[in-house]
Amino acid sequence: MNRTPHHHPLRLRRSVLSVPAINARALAKSVALDCDVVLFDLEDSVLPEKKAEARAALIAHFATLERSTGREHVIRINPLDGPDGVLDLEAVLDCMPDAVVLPKVSEPQDILTVADWLSEAGADDDRDWGPRLWAMIETAAGLLNLAAIAETGRTEGGRLDCLVVGLNDLRKETGIADIPGRPYLTPLLLQVVVAARAYGLDVIDAVFNDFADADGLEAECRQGRQMGFDGKMLIHPAQIDAANAAYGVTEAEAAEALAVVAAFAAPENADKAVVTIAGRMVEKLHADQASRLLAKVDLITERKRTA
């Protein structure tokens, strides 16, 4: 099997803001926020008796949504084994978001069942392959089956683009302590990153629950970036700037990437796999990483232009 490091188009997913689909004020406000992804939630943030109302509100919101800003719009549905999952998918067909976020994914079949449902319902007809899929990894079984779940992103029509860590449910299920710095969770978080990278998927870090703790949020964003995450799930608009900064590209990083790309583009280095830049050995793989980083800079610039 061909397992290239990245096989999906590069996307900006620094900040993934969860918005309750039942909250009309939050829906209206979301269109003007500077997050890369708006995740419209039909699951945890909506009471059972409000699910139908939330679906109707979401359909109405998508009917007037501006889709040319470069921002992704995704919908988190309820589990298919409950009374609302299929009803949520029917609403997805009316909305046609960029992706469907699946909660509590525990095995590959959770992904493939929804992928098949969307294909059979004609979701592919709207645009290339229709909505993609994101998998919430928030159960012990999901952690045990990480590699098999991530591998569905390599199956024909599998649709899987992204893994998202859900620590609130995972802590509840496992009893792992919620301690600043996440010392006992770090090994599990790194497993999710490794599984995502093995199959060319993006990976999003879990929410930081105390949105009033700006220093704690910034520290956790830095930690997530250092672990290799692409972005962070957010629960409040006040968290957007910290996530965008932590998962963005600094001027120094961009300058270094430009230098690496320029060095390998120089005629005298055309046949070299390794070059020296400012006394440091740099391999061709670093040029590939630098090119991807500069592509991210372009996406950030475009997002600012269209915001």
Side-chain angles (χ1 to χ4, degrees), residues 206-211 213-214 216-217 220 232-235 239:
V207 300
F208 182 79
N209 293 310
D210 187 358
F211 60 81
D213 181 3
L217 171 65
E220 194 164 288
K232 191 160 186 66
M233 274 274 287
L234 311 174
I235 57 172
Q239 298 178 319

Side-chain angles (χ1 to χ4, degrees), residues 65-77:
L65 196 59
E66 173 58 52
R67 306 294 289 271
S68 62
T69 62
R71 178 186 292 118
E72 284 186 280
H73 302 92
V74 305
I75 297 175
R76 181 164 70 170
I77 65 171

Side-chain angles (χ1 to χ4, degrees), residues 60 69 116 130 147 204 207 222 288:
T69 62
D116 290 345
I204 307 299
V207 300
R222 285 195 302 271
D288 296 336

Side-chain angles (χ1 to χ4, degrees), residues 1-305:
M1 181 180 294
N2 179 24
R3 297 179 180 174
T4 55
H6 304 283
H7 71 281
H8 296 303
L10 179 65
R11 303 275 193 180
L12 269 189
R13 290 168 175 164
R14 300 167 299 172
S15 47
V16 180
L17 178 66
S18 181
V19 175
I22 195 63
N23 189 327
R25 184 170 174 270
L27 290 178
K29 187 177 180 180
S30 68
V31 301
L33 297 175
D34 192 30
C35 53
D36 293 331
V37 183
V38 181
L39 186 155
F40 300 101
D41 186 33
L42 290 168
E43 194 210 11
D44 287 342
S45 63
V46 181
L47 294 172
E49 61 270 21
K50 295 286 187 178
K51 300 288 188 183
E53 182 182 341
R55 284 189 287 269
L58 203 52
I59 292 170
H61 181 71
F62 267 82
T64 61
L65 196 59
E66 173 58 52
R67 306 294 289 271
S68 62
T69 62
R71 178 186 292 118
E72 284 186 280
H73 302 92
V74 305
I75 297 175
R76 181 164 70 170
I77 65 171
N78 287 277
L80 286 191
D81 59 2
D84 292 289
V86 172
L87 294 174
D88 290 348
L89 283 177
E90 290 173 353
V92 163
L93 294 179
D94 289 322
C95 297
M96 289 304 292
D98 295 292
V100 177
V101 184
L102 308 181
K104 299 174 180 62
V105 171
S106 294
E107 59 183 29
Q109 194 58 47
D110 295 339
I111 304 292
L112 300 176
T113 296
V114 176
D116 290 345
W117 191 99
L118 289 170
S119 295
E120 291 170 6
D124 298 350
D125 298 336
D126 189 81
R127 60 182 186 272
D128 290 345
W129 292 105
R132 307 298 298 174
L133 296 179
W134 294 18
M136 293 287 299
I137 305 300
E138 48 190 341
T139 68
L143 284 170
L144 288 176
N145 293 321
L146 266 173
I149 290 168
E151 191 175 17
T152 64
R154 289 292 187 181
T155 61
E156 182 67 26
R159 297 179 186 264
L160 185 64
D161 269 0
C162 188
L163 302 181
V164 186
V165 180
L167 285 186
N168 287 332
D169 281 286
L170 188 60
R171 280 190 289 249
K172 177 183 176 182
E173 182 172 312
T174 62
I176 297 174
D178 184 7
I179 298 174
R182 306 186 290 187
Y184 301 114
L185 289 163
T186 297
L188 306 182
L189 292 168
L190 290 172
Q191 286 183 45
V192 183
V193 173
V194 170
R197 298 308 183 217
Y199 294 99
L201 306 177
D202 280 353
V203 58
I204 307 299
D205 196 3
V207 300
F208 182 79
N209 293 310
D210 187 358
F211 60 81
D213 181 3
D215 291 339
L217 171 65
E218 290 178 6
E220 194 164 288
C221 284
R222 285 195 302 271
Q223 181 196 47
R225 171 72 182 269
Q226 291 166 354
M227 287 183 185
F229 284 98
D230 294 294
K232 191 160 186 66
M233 274 274 287
L234 311 174
I235 57 172
H236 194 280
Q239 298 178 319
I240 294 172
D241 288 345
N244 284 348
Y247 289 98
V249 182
T250 67
E251 291 184 5
E253 289 170 335
E256 181 179 357
L258 281 169
V260 171
V261 170
F264 278 94
E268 63 270 22
N269 295 328
D271 298 325
K272 294 181 180 178
V274 179
V275 300
T276 301
I277 302 175
R280 182 169 64 96
M281 185 185 74
V282 180
E283 299 180 53
K284 187 66 168 62
L285 66 90
H286 297 118
D288 296 336
Q289 292 173 332
S291 295
R292 191 169 176 85
L293 189 75
L294 293 175
K296 185 175 182 179
V297 172
D298 291 341
L299 288 177
I300 293 171
T301 301
E302 181 64 14
R303 275 281 296 116
K304 291 178 180 177
R305 188 186 70 80

